[in-house]
Amino acid sequence: MNYQETVEYLFNSTPVFEHVGASAYKPGLQTTEALDEHFGHPHRKYKTIHVAGTNGKGSVSHTLAAILQSAGYRVGLYTSPHLVDFRERIRINGVCISEQYVIDFVEKERHFFEPLHPSFFELTTALAFKYFAEQQVDIAVIEVGLGGRLDCTNIISPILSIITNISFDHTQFLGNTLEEIAGEKAGIIKANVPAVVGEYTEQTRPVFERTAREKRAPLYFAEEFDAQLQDVEYELTGSYQQKNKQTVICAAMLLGLKGEHIREGMANVCEYTGLMGRWQTMQERPTVVCDTGHNVAGWEYLSKMLARQDCKQLRIVFGMVDDKDIQEVMKMLPREAVYYFTKASTKRAIPETEVKRIGDHIGLQSRVFTTVEQAFRKAQEEAAAEDFIFVGGSSYIVADFLAAFG
């Protein structure tokens, strides 16, 4: 198989959450532990940092990786989902895993893993851990896939655990209250390992404190951490990144990283790690910005940012997938914008006609398009130089946009 055929094999022969949703979710670590044993426990060969949370864990993971690179470490970075190419999930010092490595891994190992019927994420995690060991990274930043306690990344023994924040997302797996969701995320806190919590509420703080006590883990709340460096320039400019900035600075200082390396890493996140889709400006006149914010908590920030844009006309290319609270998100959408409702190229995409039905009920001015590319082309065609075009609603909308125009 060539690379494209190998990736199609991975997507088609394993249950992929991004494609089919709940049926791909496999709670528990049995398959992961079998894969881990087969490959000789590769994650034990380097240090790790574990990052969980409802929102912000991708930005925090990339930023910490950039800071560690600035300090001279060889840094593995494992994140999900990817936007354009599967290889974005597995990087070392910002460079994606090679196509040939992915091909060879599947060719050599499929006789072992096929009888296990791993999920796509379980298999990808095993691939990442093995790759990082063979490439002799000094440290790897590992982003949790979903939840924490039962996530297959939770076999690692990190030197630091980070939980960015807790809000309602994936409630069918993680629970219907903030306390229940926090309990699942707190599952990454390990015995005697420091833990950083980026944001907390009166419901979630006691959960973190109880778990930390039980594990005898030093616990730090980033909002209360006496972090200097508040004047540091952060390349990720969305207003929602201010909380992530505080979380990263707290984590970096606990790791003993120097101020000069923190400053350098935070100013060069995208260049150093390849991060895309975080309030990313794609062009000027008209201004085009895309963002992967995809749930209620994310849109509480995005809706305010869009409302603040000084432009002649706000135009929004928008779609969502079926496990998100689209009704609540769409209530937050700016009323004065012109909407181009569409659907991403995933089976989980909500049909653009259904998005329009909800939008009509709210009173949004909209048309529908069957692809993101068509929707954006129309928005661009109709936009004046002083207009602002936003593309988002889902990571998959941004992925399709970047694949066509990035």
Side-chain angles (χ1 to χ4, degrees):
M1 292 189 291
N2 61 26
Y3 172 68
Q4 199 54 50
E5 291 166 340
T6 301
V7 171
E8 286 171 9
Y9 163 83
L10 287 172
F11 277 122
N12 295 326
S13 66
T14 60
V16 183
F17 184 83
E18 284 92 350
H19 289 185
V20 300
S23 62
Y25 179 57
K26 285 179 64 178
L29 302 175
Q30 298 92 330
T31 304
T32 296
E33 286 166 347
L35 289 164
D36 187 49
E37 185 173 346
H38 173 70
F39 293 122
H41 310 290
H43 60 90
R44 298 178 186 173
K45 296 182 171 68
Y46 44 86
K47 294 176 181 175
T48 55
I49 297 168
H50 211 184
V51 184
T54 304
N55 290 311
K57 57 185 183 289
S59 296
V60 167
S61 296
H62 279 80
T63 306
L64 264 181
I67 293 169
L68 289 161
Q69 286 171 230
S70 301
Y73 292 99
R74 183 167 170 78
V75 185
L77 177 61
Y78 179 52
T79 58
S80 61
H82 64 271
L83 290 175
V84 180
D85 185 345
F86 165 80
R87 298 182 303 128
E88 295 166 31
R89 295 168 179 255
I90 304 168
R91 304 173 187 264
I92 296 175
N93 284 14
V95 179
C96 294
I97 186 172
S98 72
E99 293 184 356
Q100 193 61 49
Y101 193 96
V102 178
I103 294 168
D104 291 345
F105 174 84
V106 171
E107 292 270 320
K108 292 173 184 174
E109 303 297 342
R110 60 191 294 183
H111 71 280
F112 173 76
F113 64 70
E114 281 181 347
L116 292 176
H117 301 291
S119 71
F120 175 84
F121 193 71
E122 286 171 330
L123 193 55
T124 303
T125 301
L127 165 60
F129 289 178
K130 179 175 184 285
Y131 179 68
F132 292 155
E134 291 180 5
Q135 296 295 311
Q136 299 181 319
V137 300
D138 300 311
I139 191 166
V141 180
I142 307 296
E143 180 190 343
V144 168
L146 195 157
R149 181 176 64 92
L150 298 175
D151 188 75
C152 65
T153 62
N154 205 27
I155 60 171
I156 64 176
S157 298
I159 60 170
L160 181 67
S161 304
I162 301 170
I163 301 170
T164 57
N165 54 46
I166 304 294
S167 59
F168 291 105
D169 202 8
H170 300 300
T171 53
Q172 69 270 46
F173 310 121
L174 305 180
N176 292 306
T177 67
L178 290 177
E179 291 93 335
E180 288 177 315
I181 297 170
E184 290 299 313
K185 308 277 188 188
I188 71 164
I189 297 176
K190 301 294 197 305
N192 304 306
V193 174
V196 172
V197 173
E199 298 176 63
Y200 65 86
T201 66
E202 61 181 24
Q203 298 102 320
T204 62
R205 181 171 181 139
V207 178
F208 298 134
E209 290 176 331
R210 183 173 64 249
T211 305
R213 271 196 312 273
E214 291 168 357
K215 301 283 188 180
R216 296 183 179 175
L219 182 63
Y220 300 87
F221 292 99
E223 292 172 301
E224 300 169 3
F225 190 75
D226 183 20
Q228 302 83 32
L229 301 167
Q230 287 309 302
D231 63 334
V232 68
E233 178 192 342
Y234 193 18
E235 184 182 14
L236 308 185
T237 56
S239 62
Y240 58 89
Q241 297 289 2
Q242 289 308 303
K243 300 281 190 182
N244 294 332
K245 175 182 178 180
Q246 179 72 8
T247 304
V248 168
I249 291 173
C250 175
M253 292 183 72
L254 288 172
L255 291 167
L257 294 162
K258 293 180 180 177
E260 63 194 87
H261 298 137
I262 295 172
R263 290 180 185 279
E264 181 185 341
M266 295 189 78
N268 297 281
V269 180
C270 299
E271 179 189 345
Y272 286 9
T273 70
L275 178 64
M276 298 184 289
R278 292 352 184 249
W279 199 258
Q280 181 176 354
T281 301
M282 302 297 294
Q283 72 170 60
E284 307 282 354
R285 300 187 60 80
T287 301
V288 178
V289 167
C290 64
D291 193 282
T292 54
H294 57 273
N295 54 27
V296 171
W299 272 92
E300 283 173 352
Y301 285 100
L302 288 175
S303 60
K304 292 170 186 166
M305 292 179 71
L306 290 170
R308 287 200 299 267
Q309 297 309 313
D310 182 17
C311 60
K312 183 177 178 183
Q313 177 64 62
L314 178 60
R315 301 177 184 275
I316 298 179
V317 177
F318 181 89
M320 292 187 74
V321 294
D322 61 11
D323 69 334
K324 306 302 175 191
D325 192 344
I326 187 170
Q327 299 275 357
E328 288 303 310
V329 167
M330 290 188 69
K331 285 178 189 174
M332 292 186 271
L333 295 177
R335 297 293 189 270
E336 71 279 6
V338 174
Y339 287 88
Y340 305 79
F341 290 138
T342 185
K343 65 175 182 296
S345 54
T346 170
K347 293 175 184 174
R348 294 168 53 218
I350 296 172
E352 67 277 17
T353 50
E354 173 62 12
V355 182
K356 180 169 172 55
R357 185 190 67 76
I358 299 168
D360 288 348
H361 183 71
I362 298 169
L364 303 180
Q365 176 190 341
S366 70
R367 281 163 292 164
V368 296
F369 301 86
T370 54
T371 69
V372 175
E373 182 175 359
Q374 289 172 0
F376 177 72
R377 285 197 188 284
K378 180 55 71 172
Q380 197 172 39
E381 176 186 312
E382 295 179 349
E386 300 79 21
D387 287 359
F388 187 101
I389 303 174
F390 177 83
V391 182
S394 165
S395 297
Y396 308 108
I397 294 289
V398 174
D400 283 2
F401 170 65
L402 291 174
F405 302 102

